[in-house]
Amino acid sequence: MECADLQQQWAASQADALQLLKDDKVMLAEARFGALESHWRAGAHAGCDSCRDFVEGILNSVARTDLRARAHRVAAVRASVASDDGWILQRDADGIRTLYRLEPGNSHIILRAECDIDSPVLDILALFYEVDLYTRWMPTYKLIGLKAATILENPSPTKLLVHIVANVPWPMQTRDLCIAIDGVDCMDDGNAHRQIVVLLDSSEMFEGKAIPAPAASITRMEMRHGALILTPHVVNGGGTATRLQLTCAIDPKLPMIPDCLINFGVRHLAYMALDKMRKEIAALHGSELYAGRIVEHDAFYGFIRRRLEELQLPEHHAASIAAVVPPPAAPTSSSASASTS
C-alpha cells in the first residue's frame, strides 16, 4: 500500500476515534487509537519518515494524550477494586463491605465501600447527578456533615465540577472540596466486566481552567484515587442488581487530629454513607422530585437512556423514576372560562 493511501486510512481511524470520544465512549476511542498505534508499529512502513511523522502527529496530539491519561486512570481504578488483594476488611454487615488500605508514603488511607443495589441503573445515577440534593441524604457523623453541594461547571453530560462545603466542629474552619467528575462508559470496551466508571479528583485544574480558590474562612480538603464504579450484574453473569463500589482517599486537612483518628472516622462514615445511599436509591422510584429533575436535565438523562437502550438492558434497568413524571395539571374552572371567553 502506498504511503498516501496508508496515511488516509490512519486519518480515517483517527476521525473514528475522535467521534467515539465526542460521543463519550472513552474506552472504545482508546481501543481505536491503540489499534492504530499497533498497526503502525507492526507495519512495513514503520521505517518511513513520512509515515512516522504522520502517525506521531496523531499519537502525540493533545486529544490522544489526554485520552491516554484518562484511560490509564480508569484501568488503574478498575484493577484496584477487582479483588481484595492489598485491602483490609473493616466491616461486612447487611450486605455492605468497607475496606481500606494504606498508601505508600501517605498517612491517609484509601477507602473502599461496596454493596449490591437492586434498582435501575438510571435511578442510581440520578442520586449522584442531582448534586444539590445531597444534603437530603448525606449522613452526619460526630458533628461533621454536609452543608451545601453545587455544580460549578457542566461542560458535557458526563463531566462536572462539583463544590462541596462541610461543617466541622468548632473551633476548626469550615471545609470545602472541589471535585472534578468524569463519567466513563466501559460497558462495551471488551473488558471482562462491563461497567460505568465515574472518576473523582480534586486537582487544581478543570477543563484547562484553574479551579476557584476557597474563601479565607474555609480550608480546602483533597481527594485522590476517587471513583464510583457501577457493575450491572445482568450483563456480567446474571441477576438484576448492580454492584456499587466507591473508592477514594480524602485528606480533610486536620493537622491537630492524629491520622489514626481521622482514618477511624472515615472508615465508619463510609459505612453510614453507603447505607444511606442504598436506602435513598430504593425510595427514588416513586419520587416526583427526582422525576422532575429527569425532565429538567434531559441532556444527561436522555444520553444515559439512549445508551442503555443501545446496550439492550432488560426492562428492570430501562424502568426508572422518569415513569412517575406527573401529567400536566388539568385547567381550573377559572382558567377554562378565561380560555373560552
Side-chain angles (χ1 to χ4, degrees):
M1 183 180 291
E2 296 294 331
C3 289
D5 295 334
L6 195 57
Q7 291 174 19
Q8 185 176 8
Q9 184 182 84
W10 288 336
S13 294
Q14 180 190 29
D16 289 345
L18 292 176
Q19 183 60 51
L20 287 168
L21 189 57
K22 183 179 179 180
D23 294 339
D24 279 307
K25 297 179 179 178
V26 173
M27 301 309 287
L28 287 179
E30 168 65 17
R32 187 63 56 87
F33 271 119
L36 188 157
E37 184 169 3
S38 297
H39 183 262
W40 150 247
R41 302 291 182 200
H45 289 253
C48 171
D49 291 343
S50 174
C51 288
R52 184 190 64 245
D53 293 344
F54 186 87
V55 172
E56 288 184 353
I58 293 175
L59 299 180
N60 295 326
S61 64
V62 173
R64 174 65 183 124
T65 302
D66 289 347
L67 174 60
R68 187 185 291 114
R70 292 171 73 190
H72 178 76
R73 286 184 60 201
V74 170
V77 75
R78 293 174 86 180
S80 74
V81 299
S83 75
D84 289 349
D85 292 346
W87 293 93
I88 300 170
L89 181 65
Q90 164 71 19
R91 188 173 181 181
D92 187 348
D94 300 321
I96 297 174
R97 300 173 76 236
T98 56
L99 307 93
Y100 69 97
R101 67 183 185 190
L102 293 174
E103 182 182 13
N106 198 300
S107 58
H108 294 106
I109 61 171
I110 301 176
L111 179 71
R112 170 179 159 192
E114 57 194 26
C115 69
D116 282 358
I117 298 179
D118 198 8
S119 294
V121 169
L122 192 66
D123 291 17
I124 299 172
L125 291 173
L127 184 76
F128 292 100
Y129 189 79
E130 300 304 328
V131 172
D132 64 308
L133 300 181
Y134 284 4
T135 53
R136 293 167 50 91
W137 58 269
M138 282 280 192
T140 297
Y141 180 74
K142 302 296 185 182
L143 302 180
I144 299 174
L146 187 66
K147 181 178 181 180
T150 55
I151 295 176
L152 299 181
E153 300 279 350
N154 190 184
S156 79
T158 59
K159 285 192 175 185
L160 302 172
L161 178 63
V162 170
H163 183 233
I164 289 175
V165 181
N167 290 318
V168 292
W170 184 88
M172 294 180 288
Q173 285 189 322
T174 299
R175 262 55 183 172
D176 83 343
L177 181 65
C178 282
I179 308 174
I181 298 176
D182 182 8
V184 180
D185 182 347
C186 303
M187 292 291 280
D188 54 5
D189 67 345
N191 193 280
H193 291 96
R194 301 169 72 180
Q195 298 171 319
I196 297 170
V197 178
V198 183
L199 299 174
L200 311 169
D201 181 61
S202 65
S203 63
E204 297 179 355
M205 301 292 292
F206 180 74
E207 296 291 286
K209 297 186 295 184
I211 293 175
S217 60
I218 293 177
T219 298
R220 177 149 295 170
M221 300 183 290
E222 291 182 4
M223 174 185 285
R224 304 179 311 281
H225 310 298
L228 167 70
I229 302 173
L230 301 180
T231 309
H233 292 317
V234 69
V235 291
N236 289 283
T240 59
T242 294
R243 170 62 55 89
L244 185 154
Q245 295 175 294
L246 184 63
T247 182
C248 66
I250 294 181
D251 181 357
K253 303 296 183 181
L254 297 171
M256 72 291 295
I257 298 179
D259 291 333
C260 60
L261 292 182
I262 292 175
N263 292 340
F264 178 82
V266 167
R267 294 199 300 266
H268 285 272
L269 187 61
Y271 180 91
M272 294 171 59
L274 209 59
D275 185 48
K276 291 285 286 185
M277 285 179 198
R278 187 171 58 178
K279 292 175 180 176
E280 188 73 10
I281 291 169
L284 289 192
H285 191 76
S287 169
E288 292 188 1
L289 172 60
Y290 279 88
R293 293 298 183 92
I294 283 184
V295 174
E296 180 182 352
H297 300 151
D298 185 63
F300 172 72
Y301 293 107
F303 169 79
I304 297 299
R305 296 228 289 275
R306 288 190 297 273
R307 189 71 185 103
L308 295 178
E309 289 169 2
E310 288 178 13
L311 294 165
Q312 299 181 333
L313 261 67
E315 180 70 20
H316 172 76
H317 288 284
S320 74
I321 47 183
V324 300
V325 175
T332 62
S333 57
S334 60
S335 61
S337 299
S339 64
T340 57
S341 61

